[in-house]
Amino acid sequence: MLRVLLRVSGLIDSLSEQIGGVSVYLVIITVAVGFYNVLVRYMGQFIGVQLSSNLFIEMQWYLYSLVFFLGFAYILKNGINVRVDFIYANWSRKRQAMLDFWGNLFLLVPYCVIGIWVTVNPVMTSWRQWEMSPDPDGLPRAPLKTMIIVAFVLLLLQAISELIKLYAVLRGEDEEAMDLTEHQEALRIE
């Protein structure tokens, strides 16, 4: 049974990697849109014509949000979240796994479930009303709000994957867990 769960964990990990990879490209697009916004604002001031638009300003904001929404599961999978682990780092792998297992089970999973539950109604209302930005040339808000739910679902799936791998470590089968789950080097900026 654990072998099947580890295969499911590997599929979830692969999904998180692929979606996290999209975040990398969104960063590049966000920077390009931001550069465009700055460039046309100053060019417009120089020639005395309004060249910028709320469309591009909001697009930058939406893209920036998407980078985070799509990156949450990737960050959890690769363990590149911010940690203060001066005590944790000295623990054995099983003791670390025990803390991570119970932390994920009792803190992260409920957080994701509550996040999904609390977000569904506002998102559905936004879609029904086709909520738009109050600014001229603004973008619709419903698609971006929907990404909040997507982010929580992806994070919940990755939390389940982590629970499966941590369970394997606690059972002493962590070598099997590493063989069955796809291991890729995470992008680290230090």
Side-chain angles (χ1 to χ4, degrees):
M1 181 66 175
L2 183 59
R3 197 168 184 81
V4 172
L5 290 174
L6 286 170
R7 289 193 191 283
V8 170
S9 174
L11 292 172
I12 294 170
D13 287 351
S14 177
L15 176 67
S16 293
E17 282 291 332
Q18 291 172 359
I19 293 175
V22 170
S23 260
V24 172
Y25 294 108
L26 288 176
V27 168
I28 296 167
I29 296 168
T30 304
V31 169
V33 170
F35 179 75
Y36 170 80
N37 284 335
V38 170
L39 184 69
V40 298
R41 181 174 1 147
Y42 286 111
M43 279 180 40
Q45 284 178 352
F46 182 71
I47 62 174
V49 178
Q50 174 70 24
L51 297 175
S52 65
S53 165
N54 284 333
L55 174 83
F56 291 105
I57 293 168
E58 287 191 10
M59 184 184 305
Q60 181 181 357
W61 175 66
Y62 281 28
L63 288 167
Y64 187 74
S65 299
L66 287 175
V67 168
F68 288 95
F69 290 156
L70 298 179
F72 289 148
Y74 177 85
I75 290 167
L76 178 63
K77 181 210 175 276
N78 291 293
I80 52 179
N81 50 313
V82 176
R83 289 184 169 208
V84 179
D85 60 357
F86 52 91
I87 296 173
Y88 178 89
N90 296 322
W91 288 354
S92 69
R93 177 68 184 124
K94 273 198 172 181
R95 191 169 182 189
Q96 290 175 346
M98 180 71 74
L99 178 66
D100 289 342
F101 182 85
W102 294 113
N104 284 346
L105 185 64
F106 289 121
L107 298 173
L108 183 57
V109 169
Y111 174 75
C112 292
V113 171
I114 290 169
I116 293 166
W117 181 65
V118 170
T119 310
V120 168
N121 283 335
V123 169
M124 296 309 292
T125 301
S126 185
W127 277 101
R128 275 192 299 275
Q129 297 173 352
W130 190 243
E131 182 182 0
M132 293 293 293
S133 168
D135 299 320
D137 295 330
L139 296 171
R141 296 280 166 96
L144 184 65
K145 286 185 175 183
T146 302
M147 293 307 295
I148 298 170
I149 296 173
V150 171
F152 274 120
V153 168
L154 292 172
L155 187 58
L156 177 61
L157 287 172
Q158 189 58 47
I160 291 168
S161 173
E162 295 302 311
L163 285 170
I164 293 167
K165 292 182 284 189
L166 291 166
Y167 180 72
V169 170
L170 293 174
R171 291 206 29 181
E173 301 177 31
D174 50 332
E175 285 79 24
E176 184 177 341
M178 291 307 274
D179 291 341
L180 289 176
T181 58
E182 183 180 325
H183 181 70
Q184 296 179 356
E185 189 62 31
L187 173 65
R188 293 188 183 269
I189 301 172
E190 297 180 17

